Amino acid sequence: MEFFHKRKTFRPKKKFEPGTLRYSLHKQAQASLNSGINLRDAVKVPPGENLNDWIAVHVVDFFNRINLIYGTVTDYCTEETCPTMSGGPKYEYRWADGAEYKKPTALPAKKYVSLLMDWTEAQINNEDIFPIKMDVPFPKVFLPTCKKILTRLFRVFVHVYIHHFERLVLIGAEAHINMCYKHFYYFVTEFELVGQKELEPLAEMTSKICKGYTYPKR
């Protein structure tokens, strides 16, 4: 993560308040990653901790990390180079938010990612979805919202890997982003937060860098 902090940030980081449970869980998760523990073990819920709190912490962390990752290529992701939010010729993502974009709309990748990050930030800052007080239970919409956030954030990985991989190699970011991707992949598959169909665009790469990966049956 230090590698990314030295480079351009796409937008300000979302932070946890010191002294809160989420802050403690965030620090615990970071300590596990920094200790060199197996990533498959690092994503498991610590004994005695609440699953929803664990998911909430990781959704925010992945939001921050993927912001940083996109920041490494944002100057090269323009309307001219990336007129659609795609992952090669086979996959195209259209934006819909039920407000300004009521129907799935084709947009340049940079616009799509900007809207996605604005939308995600609004969700994680909404205390009716992500409660911050211990005595406030998680609502029924929490898990479906997290699944939607993580599914959409995965599409940023797809676009960056497929359309900007040469840039990642050029700046020496390949190994760092691979680790972030593996952490994300192990987490979302551990808790079934992103569907197998959504994961298909990076299936070939995943099979090479993630141990124990099984290509989804069609």
Side-chain angles (χ1 to χ4, degrees):
M1 290 306 293
E2 289 179 5
F3 173 89
F4 295 117
H5 287 304
K6 293 174 184 176
R7 296 181 177 274
K8 184 172 182 176
T9 303
F10 186 51
R11 62 180 56 224
K13 279 189 76 176
K14 164 73 177 178
K15 296 182 179 180
F16 298 102
E17 290 296 323
T20 63
L21 173 64
R22 302 267 173 82
Y23 181 81
S24 299
L25 282 175
H26 166 72
K27 287 299 182 184
Q28 189 172 345
Q30 294 304 307
S32 294
L33 288 176
N34 294 333
S35 70
I37 190 173
N38 184 293
L39 285 174
R40 280 197 159 199
D41 294 329
V43 300
K44 297 183 184 300
V45 183
E49 300 296 351
N50 178 276
L51 173 61
N52 284 338
D53 278 314
W54 189 241
I55 290 175
V57 164
H58 281 78
V59 167
V60 175
D61 275 347
F62 288 133
F63 167 70
N64 286 332
R65 292 180 183 212
I66 293 170
N67 267 323
L68 291 167
I69 288 170
Y70 186 71
T72 66
V73 303
T74 184
D75 289 341
Y76 301 87
C77 186
T78 66
E79 290 190 15
E80 290 72 31
T81 62
C82 305
T84 60
M85 179 62 178
S86 59
K90 190 176 178 182
Y91 300 96
E92 180 184 336
Y93 303 115
R94 300 191 173 194
W95 181 255
D97 53 22
E100 184 179 354
Y101 296 89
K102 298 186 185 303
K103 296 181 180 180
T105 304
L107 296 170
K110 194 165 192 173
K111 178 68 172 176
Y112 182 103
V113 175
S114 180
L115 289 169
L116 165 57
M117 297 306 177
D118 286 343
W119 173 82
T120 302
E121 196 165 24
Q123 307 309 304
I124 62 181
N125 285 330
N126 185 344
E127 293 184 25
D128 290 334
I129 302 174
F130 282 72
I132 59 173
K133 295 181 179 178
M134 289 290 294
D135 58 344
V136 178
F138 284 88
K140 290 182 178 179
V141 298
F142 170 74
L143 199 56
T145 301
C146 289
K147 289 181 177 181
K148 195 168 187 178
I149 290 172
L150 293 169
T151 295
R152 288 178 164 182
L153 288 176
F154 175 77
R155 296 170 182 176
V156 181
F157 273 122
V158 174
H159 182 75
V160 169
Y161 267 118
I162 293 177
H163 293 278
H164 300 288
F165 188 73
E166 290 182 0
R167 172 64 184 168
L168 303 181
V169 173
L170 184 65
I171 63 174
E174 181 184 357
H176 302 273
I177 292 177
N178 282 351
M179 182 172 177
C180 289
Y181 174 75
K182 286 191 285 186
H183 185 206
F184 180 94
Y185 174 80
Y186 286 135
F187 187 83
V188 299
T189 53
E190 172 76 15
F191 303 109
E192 299 181 348
L193 297 170
V194 177
Q196 286 293 343
K197 187 176 180 181
E198 283 283 345
L199 296 172
E200 279 189 12
L202 296 180
E204 184 177 350
M205 183 198 75
T206 305
S207 68
K208 294 177 180 177
I209 69 172
C210 295
K211 294 180 179 179
Y213 171 82
T214 302
Y215 193 87
K217 294 180 180 179
R218 292 186 179 279

